[in-house]
Amino acid sequence: MHPHRWLVRARHYYSFGSSLHAVLEKVYERGDAGIDAIELDAVYDESWIDAGYSSSESMQEAYGEGKELIEAFLDQERQVPKFGKTIAVEKLLKKPYDQFTLVGRIDRLSRADDGAMEIIDYKTRRGSVSDEEVRRDIAMSIY
């Protein structure tokens, strides 16, 4: 066993967030054209992680809530003008420094025709993010 790895018990909130990220990764890997409802159901089912829930009932409740969140997000995406073309999904980044290596993952990266870049960071169970939250959030301040 690697000396810096720990075994962690599954947590429902990790499973929930990972499931939704996996769905969006598969949707955007197909391109910006979108996905129909039947394909979305199949992608959602194959991406769902049921580990860490206290009961089958709580897992089913989260499953339904997650599906509603994904559908609402994709509906909203269809209604707003596109910033640009998706160029990366779940992109791993590494930046070495003298004492450490900074490692992170960008949920989605888009490029506009003028070369401007947009970083999309998915959040589950949260409304909009305030300017103060952005300033205090380490990951967002690095972007």
Side-chain angles (χ1 to χ4, degrees):
M1 187 160 133
H2 192 280
H4 299 290
R5 301 232 180 212
W6 297 275
L7 297 177
V8 178
R9 183 179 311 261
R11 302 283 187 227
H12 66 88
Y13 41 87
Y14 291 132
S15 294
F16 185 79
S18 295
S19 296
L20 300 189
H21 274 248
V23 170
L24 293 173
E25 179 178 10
K26 290 172 184 170
V27 166
Y28 286 102
E29 280 180 342
R30 293 173 184 229
D32 292 318
I35 186 170
D36 67 33
I38 294 170
E39 288 177 304
L40 181 59
D41 284 345
V43 166
Y44 190 80
D45 286 344
E46 73 186 34
S47 301
W48 185 254
I49 302 167
D50 60 6
Y53 292 92
S54 61
S55 67
S56 177
E57 293 80 18
S58 66
M59 190 274 296
Q60 287 298 324
E61 184 178 329
Y63 177 93
E65 181 183 350
K67 195 164 193 179
E68 288 176 11
L69 285 170
I70 290 289
E71 289 169 350
F73 176 79
L74 292 175
D75 283 345
Q76 181 183 3
E77 285 278 287
R78 288 183 202 102
Q79 294 175 18
V80 296
K82 291 204 181 313
F83 172 82
K85 183 179 185 334
T86 298
I87 60 170
V89 181
E90 295 295 328
K91 175 76 173 163
L92 181 65
L93 301 174
K94 291 183 179 182
K95 173 69 175 158
Y97 291 92
D98 291 336
Q99 301 294 320
F100 64 93
T101 299
L102 182 64
V103 179
R105 186 173 303 276
I106 293 177
D107 296 336
R108 193 170 96 224
L109 183 63
S110 296
R111 179 183 296 135
D113 290 338
D114 66 1
M117 304 291 270
E118 179 182 45
I119 297 172
I120 295 94
D121 186 27
Y122 304 127
K123 298 295 181 194
T124 55
R125 300 183 192 256
R126 180 192 267 189
S128 61
V129 180
S130 71
D131 289 341
E132 178 61 26
E133 288 173 301
V134 170
R135 282 191 293 278
R136 289 184 298 163
D137 187 278
I138 293 171
M140 287 196 197
S141 64
I142 291 172
Y143 298 148

